[in-house]
Amino acid sequence: AMDEVVVPPGGAGLLACLLCCGCVFWSLWIACIIWCVVVVNQSSALSNSTECIYSVFGYETNIWHFCFMAVIIIPILSFLVGIIRSAYAESKFLFNALGQISGAFSLVMGIWGVLLWTNLTNECDIFYETSYSSLLLIFKVYVVVLIIGFVSYVCTICLLLAVGTTVIMSMLGGSPERYESIPDSLSDLQQQQQAEQGQAQQQSQASNLPPTTDYV
């Protein structure tokens, strides 16, 4: 007879609750992405606009160009990089090198967004709030998320480097207990040498004693 699966009391309800929460989360996430794409598409008139244009990295851009890259282009590039990484999974060097591309994307987009935000004048802020409030919201949310992601990425790299450095130093330098017996002055060194000589003489004298025989 096949073993019956015993569900603990309340386990089915908890599992159903987790599934429902997961479905709601992913549904909201997909709806948010679709909404961002629709807003960027509806604001495409700004792509050729001469209002609120700023020179960043030598190019004349505005927040629509940033949102277009962040919402559409970067996810597509990240997806392609993920496919290439899976193809080179056997090569650790290429796999890890390709994995750093996401961090580079976050760095470039984060710097771009911060420069645009700092150059955003009050007139342009009012212009976007009046005519493109949804696009301005997407812009600010993406800049904050990219900055947080990049800072987390840098902190992770620094933590890994610190752990690796500690491990290497412990392997090369040894434990601190090795240096506890080092004397602090010349007199301490002489006393230590005399003590070692005395111990050596006692051991040599003990080894030269004739063997004893017990008599009953």
Side-chain angles (χ1 to χ4, degrees):
M2 297 180 61
D3 296 335
E4 295 182 356
V5 178
V6 179
V7 179
L14 178 61
L15 180 60
C17 181
L18 292 176
L19 290 175
C20 290
C21 292
C23 291
V24 171
F25 172 78
W26 285 109
S27 299
L28 293 175
W29 180 257
I30 294 173
C32 182
I33 293 176
I34 294 174
W35 175 74
C36 292
V37 172
V38 171
V39 170
V40 171
N41 184 40
Q42 291 179 348
S43 306
S44 59
L46 289 173
S47 60
N48 298 321
S49 177
T50 58
E51 297 186 17
C52 300
I53 295 293
Y54 309 103
S55 178
V56 180
F57 302 133
Y59 296 95
E60 300 294 331
T61 61
N62 55 21
I63 68 171
W64 183 88
H65 299 104
F66 175 87
C67 293
F68 178 75
M69 289 291 296
V71 174
I72 298 176
I73 302 300
I74 296 300
I76 294 175
L77 292 178
S78 300
F79 177 74
L80 294 177
V81 169
I83 294 176
I84 298 173
R85 286 189 71 194
S86 61
Y88 290 95
E90 297 180 356
S91 176
K92 294 184 178 179
F93 176 77
L94 290 176
F95 185 82
N96 295 328
L98 291 172
Q100 306 304 317
I101 295 179
S102 298
F105 286 161
S106 299
L107 173 62
V108 175
M109 294 297 296
I111 295 175
W112 184 12
V114 169
L115 292 177
L116 285 176
W117 199 333
T118 54
N119 290 322
L120 193 65
T121 61
N122 293 331
E123 293 79 6
C124 291
D125 198 1
I126 295 173
F127 169 73
Y128 287 123
E129 282 285 354
T130 304
S131 304
Y132 302 95
S133 58
S134 298
L135 185 69
L136 183 62
L137 176 62
I138 293 173
F139 166 72
K140 292 183 177 180
V141 169
Y142 262 89
V143 171
V144 172
V145 170
L146 286 171
I147 292 175
I148 293 175
F150 177 72
V151 170
S152 302
Y153 174 79
V154 172
C155 292
T156 303
I157 296 297
C158 293
L159 180 62
L160 293 176
L161 290 176
V163 172
T165 303
T166 304
V167 172
I168 293 174
M169 292 298 293
S170 63
M171 293 174 61
L172 295 178
S175 58
E177 288 78 6
R178 296 177 55 186
Y179 304 99
E180 291 180 352
S181 60
I182 297 179
D184 297 331
S185 61
L186 182 60
S187 59
D188 293 338
L189 177 60
Q190 293 176 353
Q191 292 178 1
Q192 183 178 355
Q193 291 178 351
Q194 292 175 1
E196 293 177 353
Q197 292 176 359
Q199 292 178 358
Q201 291 176 359
Q202 291 178 0
Q203 292 177 357
S204 62
Q205 292 176 0
S207 61
N208 293 328
L209 293 175
T212 59
T213 305
D214 295 334
Y215 298 94
V216 180

